[in-house]
């Protein structure tokens, strides 16, 4: 085969490879976009409603938001109670991955002697609930991973 | 045919074969992609539909809790415990509200299912729990007025297949 023939075949091969790459790239990007759109709709209502339900739930004779507020002012017993029951409730209501945290006024995660108010792992793509604000103390955030 | 002619015919055939392979692969990918898109659109429409229904149910005054006439972001467990009978008696009206939902119920995780509504594991609102349709769920806050207590429930809707 002469040099011209060889270079034509190489040219053709390059065009084929480029076409295949373009096709795979297009399909991948398009599929990812659809996935995100769909999950957005699926979880938007859930995140807000879940955070509202968690903050209202009673633990013994107090609501969760009251326990966390008392934890902000340094009551250890309330902190422990909130930590234990938060983990239990979050695991009960979510089948998918989630990320929940309570932040103080300086945006640091609230902590006590027995742990930090941070549950689950932060995820790259997620739907966030509107933060629950503890007036004068901080806020609680919930993300549902998609 | 000369050697050069054979070579050119060979190259032409190769180009045609490669072109056909790419065309067939592209068509397969295109139709697969279109099918996936249609399925996704269907899922999205159903999601929107049933998520809207979940919002409607959460907002119904028949279920929503209120204190001195002021509604709050929760469902009243006392109302929910008797709602099945009310819905059965007014089936036509609720059928139009709930649309194509096959079953609607609220589960309370961690409860033992006693007859007392405070310990009830499930509040059946409409239709049957078991079936084949996809289930759409949202966590809700439940208020037990006789006990002045809030719990977490999972509102579930079983849609059509």
């Amino acid at each position: 085969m002469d040099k011209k023939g060889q270079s034509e075949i190489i040219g053709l091969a390059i065009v084929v490879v480029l076409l295949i790459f373009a096709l795979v790239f297009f399909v991948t990007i398009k599929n990812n976009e659809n996935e995100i759109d769909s999950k957005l709709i699926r979880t938007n209502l859930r995140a807000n409603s879940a955070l509202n339900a968690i903050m209202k739930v009673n633990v013994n004779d107090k609501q969760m938001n009251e326990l966390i507020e008392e934890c902000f002012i340094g009551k250890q017993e309330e902190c422990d109670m909130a930590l234990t029951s938060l983990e239990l409730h979050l695991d009960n209501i979510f089948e998918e991955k989630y990320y929940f945290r309570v932040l103080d006024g300086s945006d640091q995660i609230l902590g006590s002697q027995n742990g930090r108010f941070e549950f689950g792992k932060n995820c790259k793509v997620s739907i966030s609930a509107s933060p629950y604000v503890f007036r004068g103390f901080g806020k609680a955030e919930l993300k549902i991973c998609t | 045919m000369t050697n050069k002619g054979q070579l050119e015919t060979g190259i032409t055939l190769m180009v045609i074969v490669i072109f056909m392979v790419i065309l067939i692969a592209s068509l397969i990918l295109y139709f697969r992609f279109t099918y996936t898109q249609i399925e996704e659109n269907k899922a999205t429409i159903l999601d929107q539909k049933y998520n809207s229904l979940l919002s409607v149910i959460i907002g119904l005054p028949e279920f929503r809790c209120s204190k001195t006439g002021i509604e709050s972001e929760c469902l009243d467990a006392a109302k929910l415990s008797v709602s099945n009978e009310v819905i059965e008696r007014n089936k036509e009206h609720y059928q139009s509200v709930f649309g194509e939902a096959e079953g609607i119920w609220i589960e309370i995780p961690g409860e033992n299912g006693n007859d007392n509504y405070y310990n009830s594991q499930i509040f059946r609102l409409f239709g049957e729990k078991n079936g084949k349709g996809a289930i759409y769920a949202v966590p809700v806050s439940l208020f037990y007025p006789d006990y002045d207590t809030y719990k977490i429930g999972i509102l579930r809707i079983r849609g059509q297949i």
Side-chain angles (χ1 to χ4, degrees), chain B:
Chain B
M1 203 182 281
T2 62
N3 272 352
K4 201 184 166 193
Q6 278 181 337
L7 184 70
E8 291 215 340
T9 312
I11 289 173
T12 311
L13 276 174
M14 227 164 70
V15 169
I16 291 169
V17 168
I18 291 171
F19 178 76
M20 291 302 284
V21 168
I22 292 174
L23 189 73
I24 291 166
S26 307
L27 280 174
I28 291 170
L29 270 174
Y30 174 75
F31 285 117
R32 221 189 76 184
F33 173 66
T34 311
Y35 178 75
T36 314
Q37 215 169 22
I38 291 167
E39 286 292 306
E40 272 293 329
N41 286 346
K42 185 183 161 192
T44 307
I45 290 165
L46 285 175
D47 276 349
Q48 285 174 332
K49 186 174 153 184
Y50 288 110
N51 271 308
S52 304
L53 183 55
L54 285 167
S55 305
V56 167
I57 293 167
I58 292 169
L60 280 176
E62 292 96 315
F63 306 138
R64 212 170 161 86
C65 52
S66 60
K67 278 181 186 172
T68 58
I70 301 161
E71 288 189 347
S72 82
E73 281 283 310
C74 55
L75 301 181
D76 191 324
K79 290 180 185 175
L80 293 172
S81 64
V82 294
S83 60
N84 197 17
E85 297 162 30
V86 178
I87 289 170
E88 277 299 315
R89 280 203 298 269
N90 304 282
K91 208 168 181 176
E92 273 182 30
H93 166 68
Y94 285 101
Q95 187 85 57
S96 67
V97 175
F98 299 143
E100 290 167 355
E102 297 278 315
I104 301 169
W105 68 98
I106 294 174
E107 287 174 8
I108 299 99
E111 289 303 333
N112 54 18
N114 281 357
D115 288 338
N116 181 1
Y117 91 101
Y118 184 72
N119 296 318
S120 185
Q121 195 177 21
I122 190 166
F123 294 122
R124 286 176 206 279
L125 305 182
F126 177 76
E128 289 300 316
K129 184 187 166 191
N130 299 317
K132 281 181 181 172
I135 291 175
Y136 300 84
V138 62
V140 287
S141 180
L142 299 178
F143 179 61
Y144 293 73
D146 300 325
Y147 303 87
D148 197 22
T149 297
Y150 287 90
K151 291 185 188 180
I152 299 177
I154 316 276
L155 171 60
R156 294 186 195 276
I157 293 180
R158 190 165 53 73
Q160 289 178 332
I161 303 164

Side-chain angles (χ1 to χ4, degrees), chain A residues 4-118:
Chain A
K4 198 185 164 197
Q6 281 178 343
S7 61
E8 272 188 18
I9 287 176
I10 290 169
L12 183 71
I14 290 170
V15 170
V16 170
V17 168
L18 283 177
L19 272 174
I20 290 168
F21 268 114
L23 206 67
V24 169
F25 182 73
F26 172 73
V27 170
T28 315
I29 293 287
K30 214 56 188 145
N31 272 346
N32 280 350
E33 277 175 7
N34 284 345
E35 193 67 19
I36 291 164
D37 281 353
S38 174
K39 297 265 178 164
L40 270 171
I41 294 156
R42 230 165 276 176
T43 51
N44 197 2
L45 177 71
R46 298 195 70 200
N48 284 323
S49 187
L51 185 58
N52 170 57
I54 288 165
M55 286 300 130
K56 277 191 172 157
V57 70
N58 272 80
V59 182
N60 295 337
D61 57 340
K62 283 180 183 164
Q63 282 181 262
M64 184 66 78
N65 54 2
E66 294 169 345
L67 282 180
I68 295 174
E69 275 178 8
E70 287 179 0
C71 185
F72 271 115
I73 55 174
K75 292 188 178 176
Q76 191 55 44
E77 199 182 327
E78 278 74 8
C79 276
D80 293 344
M81 217 186 285
L83 275 170
T84 315
S85 52
L86 265 175
E87 191 169 17
L88 186 75
H89 286 301
L90 285 165
D91 286 342
N92 271 341
I93 60 175
F94 289 117
E95 287 155 13
E96 64 272 68
K97 287 181 181 172
Y98 62 85
Y99 181 62
F100 176 87
R101 63 180 180 176
V102 180
L103 301 170
D104 60 19
S106 53
D107 276 353
Q108 298 296 309
I109 293 170
L110 179 66
S112 76
Q113 287 171 2
N114 292 319
R116 280 151 48 97
F117 281 80
E118 187 182 30

